[in-house]
Amino acid sequence: MIAILTLLDKRTRTGPEGGRLCAVAAEVTEQSGAGIALVSEGGELTSLCASNMVAQRLMDLEITVGEGPCVDASRSFGAIEEAELLSSQSSRWLAYSPSAGTAGARAVFGFPLCIGAICLGALSLYRDRPGPLTDAQASDAYLMASVVARAVLAMQAGAPRDMIADELVREATFDFAVHQAAGMVSIQGSMSVGDALVAVRAHAFATDCTSSALALRIVARDTCFDSGTREWRDAEGATPRQVA
Amino acid sequence: MARESLLVTTLVELADNLVDSFDVIDVLTVLSDRCVEALDVDAAGVMLASPGGELQFVASSSESMRVLELFQIQADEGPCVDCYKDGRAIVNHALTDPDARWPRFTPRAIAQGFRSVHCLPMRLRGRTIGALNLFRTEQGSLDDDDVVVAQGLADVATIAILQHRTSLDARLLNDQLSNALNSRIIIEQAKGRVSQSTGCDMDQAFRRLRTHARNHNLGLTDVARSVADGTLDSNMLDLVAETSKS
């Protein structure tokens, strides 16, 4: 984890966030290239970035034909591995596989970007030689997917460009309150839990506090999202609390 | 209930949960609850290692923030981290402040009223996947029998997690653990929605999710996901019977 964050921090100073994430993903997992696809509300994939031309072509191909490692990983919430893309036994993706081979890939992998019930998209990796990931590479890919998921969330919440790596370090550990708060805010604002999580993070950035601290106030019912005004407000005095 | 019969019931209950697709969080919550009932401890919880090797909380006998906080701190330091790293049990560790070994964990645990802590590794065939953590509010120690029982329960839970993979394939294990940890986040999101919709606290919210899953023979995580993504209205969850106890 620390190694990934250090790499990411080094590259924070250069290039846009997406490209940096993909480059780090490919480097950490020792693959030929990496791409990140995001899932829109309707379930459509869009490409966020790719680390090189081949990775970009694979991503475009996957979006065009509607099948491939990112599609499967984000739908199944699980890791996808196609270690022998051009093997005659491989019939997982009839349209994707041969074209991906032509583009230069021999093995492709997909890892979902999940945060609980939220699926933000998927991280895909490719290699120009066939064969499975080693256990260490697979571990690193899981870890990278979790870092990418957090980074994407920070970007969506409008984190300042040079702060994303810091944010990732601070948010590296699992925080109950943040996820409980996202659940509460989703009901308060009649929105999805994913949008609520982004709203919590964005409000934390805007008010210059950590999302953990804000989340604790939300869970304690001292702050809530007003569905009428679409704004945040603090409870007046003692928080009125209904009992079920 | 006498301890022997409680243990037999627990083993049957755990074994019963292992058929087909079981819910890891649910099984580990059962384990935590039964530790509190069968052993002389006041709180119990399980932490599992993520594919990156960091410990994360997955289940506890209490969903209250004051107990959950003690697990959250242990992502960085604490008895679970040491137990997991060494693969060895920590038994009857008296909590005294200041504590050079766990400077963040110990004062928080004392502030929550705990006087001693115990940690047992969850290990199978040489691989440690996490730790079972026990807390006592009283001075004094767990006796040897308690430790044997606790380790036995931890072993059953470990087998439970690994059981539907016949081999200890590292990749499948990673997948399994990563799913368990993500399930925990789904549950937190669902707890937030239930708490906001019905005005109950997080502990009650968890028990409603669990009661509903039990009553309808569904997985805890599946119910939580339906609540989190809005396909199941929190107000439609079954109520917890008055007599039930966390």
Side-chain angles (χ1 to χ4, degrees), chain A residues 3 19 37-38 61 104 106-107 119 122 133-134 153 161 163:
Chain A
L38 300 183
L61 170 67
R106 291 296 175 272
C119 185
L133 294 177
T134 64
L153 201 67
R161 187 170 279 248
M163 249 183 65

Side-chain angles (χ1 to χ4, degrees), chain A:
Chain A
M1 180 63 114
I2 300 301
I4 292 178
L5 293 172
T6 313
L7 260 180
L8 206 54
D9 190 47
K10 261 190 214 150
R11 300 188 183 213
T12 308
R13 321 301 168 198
T14 57
E17 294 86 353
R20 175 174 87 237
L21 281 170
C22 286
V24 172
E27 191 172 333
V28 163
T29 59
E30 304 168 324
Q31 302 303 297
S32 309
I36 298 171
L38 300 183
V39 185
S40 70
E41 198 93 342
E44 297 284 301
L45 278 186
T46 53
S47 156
L48 176 72
C49 64
S51 67
N52 60 30
M53 285 301 290
V54 177
Q56 186 62 55
R57 231 171 275 147
L58 292 174
M59 193 59 83
D60 293 342
L61 170 67
E62 181 160 5
I63 289 167
T64 310
V65 300
E67 61 175 22
C70 287
V71 172
D72 286 4
S74 56
R75 282 199 188 139
S76 68
F77 278 68
I80 303 296
E81 172 171 304
E82 193 54 74
E84 308 273 343
L85 195 59
L86 298 186
S87 145
S88 53
Q89 263 79 38
S90 166
S91 57
R92 194 189 316 223
W93 306 304
L94 291 173
Y96 175 86
S97 295
S99 305
T102 310
R106 291 296 175 272
V108 293
F109 312 92
F111 291 84
L113 307 178
C114 316
I115 301 179
I118 307 162
C119 185
L120 299 167
L123 167 70
S124 68
L125 302 169
Y126 88 91
R127 189 160 7 85
D128 54 15
R129 286 165 291 110
L133 294 177
T134 64
D135 291 341
Q137 289 167 346
S139 273
D140 289 340
Y142 273 105
L143 202 56
M144 195 63 221
S146 109
V147 171
V148 169
R150 290 165 200 274
V152 166
L153 201 67
M155 286 178 217
Q156 288 178 340
R161 187 170 279 248
D162 56 352
M163 249 183 65
I164 291 178
D166 293 346
E167 257 304 293
L168 291 176
V169 176
R170 207 185 314 147
E171 302 289 328
T173 55
F174 174 84
D175 194 316
F176 308 98
V178 170
H179 300 295
Q180 293 169 2
M184 292 177 71
V185 169
S186 72
I187 297 280
Q188 291 165 2
S190 308
M191 54 176 114
S192 71
V193 178
D195 289 347
L197 190 52
V198 170
V200 169
R201 300 290 297 270
H203 187 56
F205 289 131
T207 53
D208 203 22
C209 75
T210 64
S211 32
S212 300
L214 173 61
L216 285 173
R217 293 211 329 264
I218 295 168
V219 172
R221 298 174 201 254
D222 290 334
T223 294
C224 70
F225 186 82
D226 190 310
S227 59
T229 61
R230 310 303 291 169
E231 277 174 11
W232 293 86
R233 66 177 163 79
D234 287 341
E236 294 158 20
T239 322
R241 226 171 125 164
Q242 304 157 334
V243 175

Side-chain angles (χ1 to χ4, degrees), chain B:
Chain B
M1 209 186 299
R3 182 150 94 181
E4 284 69 20
S5 44
L6 188 62
L7 285 175
V8 170
T9 317
T10 302
L11 290 178
V12 171
E13 190 177 8
L14 287 173
D16 201 34
N17 270 303
L18 300 188
V19 289
D20 302 335
S21 58
F22 68 97
D23 191 293
V24 172
I25 310 273
D26 203 3
V27 167
L28 295 177
T29 308
V30 167
L31 167 75
S32 307
D33 285 348
R34 296 303 168 264
C35 282
V36 171
E37 287 164 28
L39 308 171
D40 194 10
V41 298
D42 302 282
V46 176
M47 296 193 78
L48 292 181
S50 70
E54 281 145 348
L55 284 184
Q56 294 191 33
F57 163 79
V58 282
S60 163
S61 59
S62 163
E63 296 280 316
S64 76
M65 207 40 139
R66 60 180 202 94
V67 173
L68 296 193
E69 182 206 38
L70 294 180
F71 293 111
Q72 193 157 315
I73 293 175
Q74 294 192 68
D76 300 323
E77 62 153 58
C80 284
V81 179
D82 293 1
C83 173
Y84 169 71
K85 283 204 179 124
D86 303 341
R88 274 208 296 267
I90 294 173
V91 179
N92 291 321
H93 180 90
L95 294 166
T96 45
D97 194 22
D99 183 344
R101 191 174 180 186
W102 305 313
R104 284 186 63 224
F105 168 81
T106 301
R108 295 307 305 151
I110 292 173
Q112 303 304 349
F114 296 115
R115 293 290 165 269
S116 70
V117 65
H118 321 265
C119 216
L120 300 159
M122 294 177 66
R123 201 173 40 198
L124 191 65
R125 280 176 255 158
R127 173 157 179 172
T128 309
I129 61 163
L132 169 65
N133 202 184
L134 307 170
F135 292 92
R136 271 168 63 92
T137 54
E138 302 291 319
Q139 295 280 3
S141 49
L142 281 185
D143 61 29
D144 291 348
D145 282 353
D146 275 343
V147 176
V148 170
V149 168
Q151 185 66 60
L153 290 174
D155 291 345
V156 171
T158 308
I159 294 165
I161 292 169
L162 303 177
Q163 70 92 35
H164 60 206
R165 308 295 185 202
T166 42
S167 71
L168 252 183
D169 182 305
R171 191 81 54 82
L172 294 172
L173 182 58
N174 264 344
D175 222 5
Q176 198 98 320
L177 292 176
S178 142
N179 277 335
L181 299 171
N182 198 53
S183 291
R184 189 64 227 182
I185 299 179
I186 299 177
I187 289 169
E188 299 306 324
Q189 292 166 343
K191 277 163 63 181
R193 282 176 70 88
V194 174
S195 165
Q196 181 66 38
S197 299
T198 67
C200 67
D201 67 23
M202 294 298 168
D203 199 52
Q204 287 169 308
F206 180 79
R207 280 188 283 143
R208 273 192 82 168
L209 290 166
R210 203 168 166 214
T211 303
H212 190 89
R214 290 279 161 95
N215 289 356
H216 297 265
N217 210 12
L218 298 166
L220 173 62
T221 305
D222 295 330
V223 170
R225 182 180 279 112
S226 302
V227 168
D229 69 20
T231 46
L232 177 60
D233 185 343
S234 308
N235 292 298
M236 303 302 285
L237 290 175
D238 290 356
L239 289 167
V240 180
E242 282 298 313
T243 50
S244 78
K245 171 179 169 289
S246 65

